[in-house]
Amino acid sequence: MTIQAKESERALVVSAEPAGLGNRIKSWVSAMRLGADVRVYWPLSPIMPARFGDLFTNDCEVEEVPEGAREHISWRLVILPEDEAHLPAGFAVVGGGASRLSRGAGKLLWQLGGRKTDRYRYMVFPKKHSRRSVRADARHIDFEYGRIPEYFRSVYCPLFDQIQVLPSIAERVLEWGGQHIDDDVIGLQVRTWRDDPRRHRKYHVRSLSKMRQLMRAAPENKRFFVVSDSGELAESLRPEFGAERILCYPRSTNIGDSWQSRQGTQEDLIDMLLLARTQEMFVSYMSTFSEAAWWFGGARASVSVF
């Protein structure tokens, strides 16, 4: 959705997205486009136990949204009026049915199912990157990776560059990444939705065969840097692809519980920034974790979505 921003260019804009790490980062950089004076409200929650200062050093955090400030809450990257000329009509191919009829059916199923908290609502079929899912009103760039016009990359990459991670985190990324991630390493990001049984069945279980097909088609000299919300995922891949080809950052926290601890979230950010160092990625459908990593890497990596 296009956002009118001209009148608020000088106003205080506060990113207040309450969801997970990738969503909050995307909201933050979007807020940077909505105003010159940008702050971040980073509420603690059951899915975000790390404080802003546990992850970043930017001097922009606020303890609450100030009165009169423009509050920005969205996981989508904003599209401004001046962007319209650079975005073809019906551009986006991720997430919706090809017609109003299929979208209406999705909305009806969502309403009847009582899933009012599902933020990825209305997505029926197709569940893939395909021109068959183009809509006339698809005016966004989320999850489009290599299809995104250079104009948007030149706009958003400098904003991601403005994010300053904690020095201790940056040092660990530089040290381990420099030793283990090179041009022969493919980033493999797998969102299993372990915390949501419905999405686990809908998105992850159905994608496993395509994930393995991508891995099998990769040259045998390629290794895989595995990032996942499941500690069992990497182990399940080693019997087929070989232990020497499956790389994981040596975390001190349990991956399955990372979203519940400050240190675990810090190591999630390390995983994200290490993933950003790869030049080829195989990533889960509709995951803002891999999407944020792609932007942190300069929006250059080749991406295959499963």
Side-chain angles (χ1 to χ4, degrees):
M1 179 182 295
T2 302
I3 294 180
Q4 302 294 326
K6 289 294 186 181
E7 63 185 24
S8 62
E9 286 180 347
R10 291 180 295 277
L12 175 62
V13 180
V14 179
S15 169
E17 171 62 41
L21 185 61
N23 291 34
R24 293 187 185 213
I25 290 172
K26 289 182 65 182
S27 174
W28 182 7
V29 296
S30 288
M32 294 180 192
R33 297 202 66 201
L34 295 174
D37 190 1
V38 177
R39 298 287 184 267
V40 177
Y41 172 55
W42 193 273
L44 298 181
S45 71
I47 63 171
M48 177 51 67
R51 298 182 182 278
F52 182 84
D54 294 329
L55 305 171
F56 310 105
T57 61
N58 300 72
D59 185 18
C60 62
E61 185 185 17
V62 293
E63 295 300 320
E64 59 183 16
V65 178
E67 184 177 353
R70 176 173 181 177
E71 186 177 32
H72 181 66
I73 301 177
S74 176
W75 59 271
R76 288 197 180 279
L77 296 176
V78 299
I79 303 299
L80 302 181
E82 57 265 36
D83 300 335
E84 291 285 353
H86 304 276
L87 192 63
F91 171 74
V93 298
V94 180
S99 67
R100 291 183 179 180
L101 180 61
S102 61
R103 291 175 63 203
K107 182 176 180 179
L108 178 61
L109 289 172
W110 171 70
Q111 291 173 330
L112 294 177
R115 297 170 181 145
K116 298 295 190 295
T117 59
D118 187 349
R119 304 182 73 190
Y120 301 109
R121 61 187 69 113
Y122 309 156
M123 287 184 291
V124 190
F125 292 103
K127 291 289 187 301
K128 58 185 177 181
H129 283 50
S130 167
R131 292 191 178 277
R132 287 177 297 173
S133 64
V134 169
R135 302 196 311 260
D137 61 344
R139 309 296 287 175
H140 54 78
I141 61 173
D142 306 280
F143 308 117
E144 297 295 342
Y145 295 108
R147 296 184 65 248
I148 297 174
E150 186 60 36
Y151 165 83
F152 291 98
R153 304 188 201 198
S154 68
V155 167
Y156 272 109
C157 283
L159 301 182
F160 276 86
D161 288 342
Q162 291 183 32
I163 295 177
Q164 302 167 12
V165 301
L166 212 65
S168 59
I169 291 176
E171 290 168 6
R172 291 161 72 181
V173 171
L174 183 63
E175 180 180 3
W176 196 88
Q179 294 175 358
H180 297 90
I181 295 182
D182 54 31
D183 291 342
D184 290 331
V185 174
I186 296 172
L188 176 64
Q189 186 270 333
V190 184
R191 178 71 185 271
T192 69
W193 299 101
R194 75 227 180 288
D195 54 337
D196 188 326
R198 185 181 67 85
R199 288 181 181 172
H200 175 79
R201 295 190 302 271
K202 185 176 181 181
Y203 296 126
H204 175 62
V205 174
R206 297 180 182 180
S207 71
L208 283 174
S209 61
K210 184 175 181 181
M211 179 195 75
R212 289 182 177 270
Q213 287 174 8
L214 288 170
M215 296 178 70
R216 290 165 185 154
E220 292 187 359
N221 68 310
K222 295 289 187 179
R223 294 170 293 151
F224 303 96
F225 171 60
V226 179
V227 177
S228 179
D229 57 3
S230 168
E232 292 74 36
L233 191 281
E235 290 303 319
S236 72
L237 297 174
R238 289 192 169 106
E240 177 177 355
F241 299 97
E244 71 284 354
R245 296 183 68 193
I246 303 299
L247 308 176
C248 297
Y249 177 74
R251 301 173 62 116
S252 61
T253 60
N254 186 315
I255 294 177
D257 299 329
S258 64
W259 55 289
Q260 296 179 322
S261 72
R262 175 187 62 83
Q263 188 175 359
T265 304
Q266 289 178 323
E267 292 190 324
D268 287 346
L269 181 56
I270 290 173
D271 270 344
M272 180 184 287
L273 296 175
L274 288 170
L275 185 64
R277 295 173 68 98
T278 63
Q279 296 305 302
E280 183 176 8
M281 299 181 186
F282 300 159
V283 304
S284 289
Y285 178 79
M286 292 292 288
S287 172
T288 57
F289 188 99
S290 54
E291 187 184 20
W294 185 75
W295 282 106
F296 274 128
R300 296 186 301 268
S302 170
V303 178
S304 297
V305 178
F306 56 84

